[in-house]
Amino acid sequence: MNQSKKNQKNIWTKKYITKEIFLNTNLHIQAINYLKNQNYIDYKGIKKILQINYNKDYPIGYVIKIKNKIVGFVGTLISKRKINKKNYLYCNIHTWIVDKHHRIVSHLLFIPLIKKKSIITVLSPQNRLVKTFQKMGFKVISMNYKIVFLNFFLSFFHKNYFKIESKFSKIKMRLTKEDLQIYKDHSNPSFIRFAILDKKSESNFTFIVAKIIKKKGYFNVLNILYVSNINFFQKNWNLINVELFKVYKVLFCAQYFIKKKECIFPNKSKLSINFKKNICVKNLPKNYMFNTIYTEAI
């Protein structure tokens, strides 16, 4: 682009204003009305995500305005996270929509997040937008989704060595400071929070955040978003999966992960299937143990 065209674009871009959206504000109402009027998006699905707010100090999204009219929206789930003993601002993008005649300024919605050097993840990017993310400095990586069949037949024969405890009063003293914060941040009713305890030694346990989703409209899957003690979970999986079946009445358990070491299921898990999809990430720390807490919990 020559200097003249670049200057023209900058002058035109200045006509647009990017604004933060906070809950229960006039702009929040305006953004909701904007989304409702979009015929090619699933507003009901977006509405459920908008009800999740991990940290009220941060916006739930951004809009682009021109002449006081909203012409674009990006939905954000922003949280503070400690990763490898360092504090980060973590943002998951769940919705990105810009009116057809204004898409040349779509990138303006991301400038505030990029300036803050946030970790940014997009777990469900549309194929046609991947190149646009790459131009903004995002990396495209492959994410796995593993679904494991729960061996409920063992429930008729095995002894009950483990206990699933979901009462906060019973597990709060066991949680680390970081896990306690994760518990509190995932207070939305769509999340399931519990601990799996070893009855012989209840000091051996793992804390879990999960979500039950319906696949293909007819069977439920327990999506596990976070496991505090992966070694404990893997080592005792043959018995743990029976308890999950009995308590949550599901036949399948699943997890999203990037690297093999992040997978919570034993390598030799039978009756499992693995899918792959591309995601877009920016500023992801090295040696980060990926999980899907603080996201839209896809």
Side-chain angles (χ1 to χ4, degrees):
M1 182 183 294
N2 61 42
Q3 191 63 39
S4 176
K5 287 184 178 180
K6 189 175 181 180
N7 290 337
Q8 287 178 1
K9 184 179 178 181
N10 288 338
I11 292 170
W12 189 57
T13 299
K14 288 178 181 178
K15 297 178 181 180
Y16 292 86
I17 299 174
T18 304
K19 289 192 172 184
E20 298 176 318
I21 309 166
F22 286 91
L23 284 172
N24 304 317
T25 60
N26 287 334
L27 189 56
H28 180 209
I29 296 170
Q30 292 175 34
I32 292 296
N33 290 331
Y34 172 75
L35 292 171
K36 284 180 178 179
N37 291 326
Q38 307 304 314
N39 297 324
Y40 47 94
I41 63 171
D42 176 19
Y43 173 70
K44 288 184 179 179
I46 295 173
K47 182 181 178 181
K48 290 180 181 179
I49 299 172
L50 290 174
Q51 292 171 351
I52 301 170
N53 185 217
Y54 294 117
N55 192 315
K56 294 180 180 179
D57 292 334
Y58 296 106
I60 62 168
Y62 294 84
V63 293
I64 300 175
K65 277 189 166 188
I66 185 168
K67 295 180 181 179
N68 209 33
K69 178 186 176 184
I70 294 177
V71 295
F73 167 87
V74 67
T76 59
L77 292 169
I78 302 177
S79 58
K80 283 184 177 178
R81 297 186 64 177
K82 181 168 280 190
I83 299 171
N84 299 331
K85 298 182 180 180
K86 291 184 178 180
N87 294 317
Y88 292 91
L89 197 62
Y90 187 100
C91 175
N92 180 245
I93 304 295
H94 61 80
T95 305
W96 185 22
I97 180 170
V98 180
D99 291 357
K100 185 176 181 179
H101 299 296
H102 301 274
R103 288 176 184 166
I104 193 171
V105 294
S106 298
H107 66 285
L108 294 179
L109 289 164
F110 288 85
I111 288 177
L113 294 168
I114 293 173
K115 283 184 176 179
K116 293 175 183 176
K117 297 182 179 180
S118 312
I119 297 172
I120 311 175
T121 59
V122 188
L123 302 186
S124 299
Q126 295 183 21
N127 291 334
R128 63 184 177 83
L129 295 177
V130 169
K131 287 186 178 179
T132 304
F133 281 115
Q134 288 177 309
K135 288 178 181 178
M136 291 190 289
F138 283 76
K139 292 182 179 180
V140 179
I141 60 176
S142 181
M143 180 174 70
N144 299 279
Y145 183 56
K146 188 169 187 175
I147 302 177
V148 179
F149 179 73
L150 300 184
N151 194 354
F152 64 92
F153 296 108
L154 290 176
S155 63
F156 301 106
F157 308 105
H158 92 296
K159 292 184 180 180
N160 192 359
Y161 293 112
F162 294 91
K163 177 184 178 182
I164 291 181
E165 181 58 72
S166 58
K167 291 182 179 178
F168 180 58
S169 60
K170 297 289 183 67
I171 65 175
K172 64 179 179 180
M173 299 303 293
R174 304 173 188 274
L175 302 180
T176 64
K177 183 179 179 180
E178 290 178 18
D179 285 341
L180 182 60
Q181 190 61 52
I182 290 171
Y183 184 100
K184 292 177 179 178
D185 290 343
H186 290 77
S187 59
N188 186 278
S190 63
F191 296 109
I192 300 169
R193 301 163 295 174
F194 59 93
I196 300 176
L197 310 175
D198 183 340
K199 284 187 173 182
K200 291 182 179 179
S201 177
E202 292 195 356
S203 60
N204 293 325
F205 76 101
T206 185
F207 166 59
I208 290 176
V209 178
K211 185 180 181 75
I212 294 178
I213 62 169
K214 190 174 286 291
K215 288 287 186 181
K216 305 295 184 181
Y218 54 82
F219 67 90
N220 290 333
V221 176
L222 183 69
N223 262 5
I224 297 191
L225 314 178
Y226 174 74
V227 175
S228 66
N229 188 339
I230 293 178
N231 289 334
F232 172 86
F233 191 91
Q234 288 180 335
K235 183 179 178 181
N236 301 292
W237 169 246
N238 288 336
L239 296 177
I240 286 174
N241 88 87
V242 175
E243 296 305 315
L244 294 175
F245 163 74
K246 288 166 63 177
V247 174
Y248 295 109
K249 312 301 181 187
V250 292
L251 292 176
F252 301 93
C253 192
Q255 180 209 14
Y256 289 97
F257 62 95
I258 296 173
K259 302 171 186 174
K260 285 185 178 180
K261 66 179 182 180
E262 298 160 349
C263 183
I264 60 175
F265 305 113
N267 292 331
K268 296 181 180 179
S269 297
K270 297 179 180 179
L271 298 174
S272 66
I273 186 169
N274 194 75
F275 300 93
K276 287 182 178 288
K277 66 179 294 187
N278 285 333
I279 64 173
C280 297
V281 301
K282 188 174 179 64
N283 301 327
L284 207 64
K286 291 182 179 180
N287 302 318
Y288 168 50
M289 286 291 286
F290 180 83
N291 54 55
T292 47
I293 49 173
Y294 294 106
T295 72
E296 73 267 36
I298 53 178

